[in-house]
Amino acid sequence: MVGFLSCISMLPCPTLSTCSDRIDLVSFTFVYSGVNAGKAPAPEQRVRFLLGPTEGSEEKALTLTATSVPALANHPLVCGPAVTSLKIGVGHRLDAQASGVLVLGVGHGCSLLTDMYNAHLTKDYTVRGLLGKATDDFCEDGRLVEKSTYGVPRRNCFYLGVYEPLENVLRMLSSDHVTREKLDRILAVIQGSHQKALVMYSNLDLQTQEAYDMAVRGLIRPMNKSPMLITGIRCLHFAPPEFLLEVRCMHETQKQLRKLVHEIGLELKTTAVCSQVRRTRDGFFTLDDALLRTRWDLHSIQDAIQAAAPRVAAELEKSLRPGPGAPAAPQP
Amino acid sequence: MALSAQQIPRWFSSVQLSSFITATQLGKHFQRPGKTLSHGFAAQPQMSSDNCFLRWGFKTYRTSSLWNSSQSTDSSRQEITSSQSALLPSINEQTQKTQKTRNFDSELSLEALDDLPPLSPLQPVSEEEAIQIIADPPLPPDTFTLRDYVDHSETLQKLVLLGVDLSKIEKHPDAANLLLRLDFEKDIKQILMFLKDLGLEDNQLGTYLTKNYAIFSEDLENLKTRVAYLQSKNFSKAHITQMVRNAPFLLSFSVERLDNRLGFFQKELELSVKKTRDLIVRLPRLLTGSLEPVKENMKVYRLELGFKHNEIQHMITQVPKMLTANKRKLTETFDYVHNVMSVPHHLIVRFPQVFNTRLFKIKERHLFLTYLGRAQYDPTKLNYISLDKLVSLPDEIFCEEIAKASVQDFEKFLKTL
């Protein structure tokens, strides 16, 4: 099977270390069974020349007669199934605790994966955070490092427990309750600083007209290796202790996104952990293209590949075309 | 005896033939290098198998020749010989016809042979001899796949036609060697008849033999004793057929071992005789599988998950697969159902099917019901959803009747997880 698979949406699976294990587990056994269950070839025959007495002759003269004898050497029960392995590659990695769109390439589509990577497209995530806790791996089920308050409106007097850590006391003294405005302000600061980094890493000379136009339209992005860059971040939903962010970024790992949540908590003078990271878009593959677990069978995958093929070709052609003027011009 | 290469025509012969060529024949016929053995048999220029050598330059034939008795597939070739000889009886006639008098003087032949000029492949040959050149490539003496032998062995062909998957059997080299050496008429047929008497259908024989090819090395009497033993334990004929079909290795276990295993289950589970029997009929691989996981699982249920003994008995009679389930999956499922879904022990006992479903399925459906506000598993309250309806129903029926939503909504929700 040749082609570029579109994506899979899956539940987070904390028992496996990497998502590639998960893919192996799934291991497309259903695909093999589907491919091998295709129509069986007609039974083979081979021609053998057998010695036998010539017909109608008295003498025992021998002659060769060509007879077609069924041959079993290529029977599926003797050779085994025709397809036993399939090359499958994964595009951008997804953690074991993360879920969402995962792009896979099958067979010759694996080479398209490299082209996709070199196109340096952005990805969308929804990140759910929880205020009031801090853990060592920034996940909800990690080892608890500290707890803090986040949103209870402060009164003038407070109860000072003997074992209250000093940071908490200071926090209680200094923080107002965490509000939506505070969060938005912090997110704007983050986006601004990342915007600067975007321009720097894209190696564009902003003095030129074309580069300026593109920057105005927000189409600048680096086309080579760079640290995690956030092109857009906003808060979708704020209900303390929970908050939901939408992050548009590139060259990221899910761990860095969780660290981002942790840092937002610190900026808010409280603590936060990340409870869910979900990729909603990878390049031009969205959740609508994603195949659910119930659709993991040969025909759905084939249909998905065929549906995605024109878009893939168009997008890759656009991104590989050299831009007007600018030396390392990125294309939208 | 050193016979020079040129003159000795190679005839296809069976092992028993051992006559010698006359000098006149030697004069007429030349040894042609192209004339090979049919199917890898060195047609000895009529030498018996112990006077081994023929010093030709044709080393390839030597490797596959019969007289090299150190070969592993010797007997396979003998078996193939017998089948081949059935296929081509006329060849034997031919060779017998051309054999000259048996009272041939060997010394005379040797002397005559030494004087003859060397053979050349370009020398013309008579029509008769030309017909008898069979130029098939020789059979490989050892190989890693049965494909090379299947077209030459009646046994293998008949097994393939029965439906036996040779590609799986050839992964076990002992099994493959065993099958090659067996004769269909003598050994295999009896066992097949026995299996058919037991009640296995024709189309089930293939899958059975693929799993338990070792049954061919069992003694028919032993097999009959084991079946008689099972019948003495009051398993009906239909039950025995079902057990043999679902656990192919059952008949390879000795009576003693079967007895021990039945006794183990009786003691461990403390069920009545009839219930133990039903359990074994439903899951016969309890008898053929290892007993360690069963013991472990019993401990897990009792100590870790906290079920009482009568509760465990009830659950096992309903879902026997729980005895051989994976310990880690059991604990994870129980953890989710008991702690996250807050389902008490006595409800889980009533619906042990939750231990037989994949965890992600339970999670997905529970989260969907929570999202809709319908996650109510307490039978005393309204809108109660029983656990078996949660796990056993297919998606469409679950969405329509339990969740009262459409399948598309369910899929959209799954994409938000």
Side-chain angles (χ1 to χ4, degrees), chain A residues 6-201:
Chain A
S6 75
C7 23
I8 288 182
S9 188
M10 55 192 190
L11 276 183
C13 183
T15 51
L16 292 168
S17 48
T18 61
C19 71
S20 55
D21 287 344
R22 181 64 175 269
I23 302 299
D24 288 337
L25 242 205
V26 168
S27 96
F28 288 81
T29 45
F30 48 84
V31 169
Y32 297 154
S33 54
V35 171
N36 287 325
K39 54 169 174 52
E44 272 185 21
Q45 307 260 331
R46 65 187 174 122
V47 174
R48 282 192 61 206
F49 294 94
L50 302 178
L51 278 180
T54 42
E55 291 172 7
S57 81
E58 289 294 330
E59 291 213 356
K60 290 209 196 133
L62 292 177
T63 169
L64 290 176
T65 38
T67 41
S68 198
V69 183
L72 288 175
N74 288 327
H75 196 273
L77 281 181
V78 180
C79 309
V83 173
T84 42
S85 72
L86 211 52
K87 222 162 72 162
I88 294 175
V90 69
H92 294 110
R93 287 236 186 104
L94 207 56
D95 258 344
Q97 285 90 7
S99 61
V101 170
L102 181 68
V103 180
L104 300 165
V106 178
H108 294 297
C110 295
S111 50
L112 293 172
L113 285 173
T114 353
D115 296 335
M116 270 271 288
Y117 181 79
N118 291 333
H120 296 282
L121 302 165
T122 56
K123 300 190 252 315
D124 273 354
Y125 285 85
T126 50
V127 178
R128 204 179 286 270
L130 200 67
L131 292 167
K133 280 206 305 190
T135 55
D136 58 346
D137 64 349
F138 316 126
C139 273
E140 215 179 339
D141 49 2
R143 190 173 61 87
L144 193 63
V145 169
E146 74 175 279
K147 277 183 131 157
S148 64
T149 61
Y150 49 84
V152 179
R154 294 267 70 92
R155 285 185 294 242
N156 282 337
C157 56
F158 49 83
Y159 169 70
L160 180 65
V162 177
Y163 299 109
E164 200 78 55
L166 189 60
E167 303 91 33
N168 275 359
V169 175
L170 290 173
R171 217 170 276 130
M172 276 198 282
L173 285 172
S174 63
S175 74
D176 304 319
H177 55 261
V178 176
T179 58
R180 179 78 190 249
E181 292 78 28
K182 273 196 158 182
L183 182 63
D184 287 338
R185 219 179 305 150
I186 289 172
L187 294 180
V189 163
I190 292 176
Q191 182 160 347
S193 64
H194 279 266
Q195 194 70 28
K196 237 175 145 231
L198 262 179
V199 171
M200 185 181 74
Y201 280 105

Side-chain angles (χ1 to χ4, degrees), chain B residues 125-145:
Chain B
V125 101
S126 80
E127 204 50 46
E128 257 174 12
E129 197 163 308
I131 285 182
Q132 279 149 28
I133 300 173
I134 301 175
D136 285 345
L139 273 185
D142 51 4
T143 165
F144 63 97
T145 168

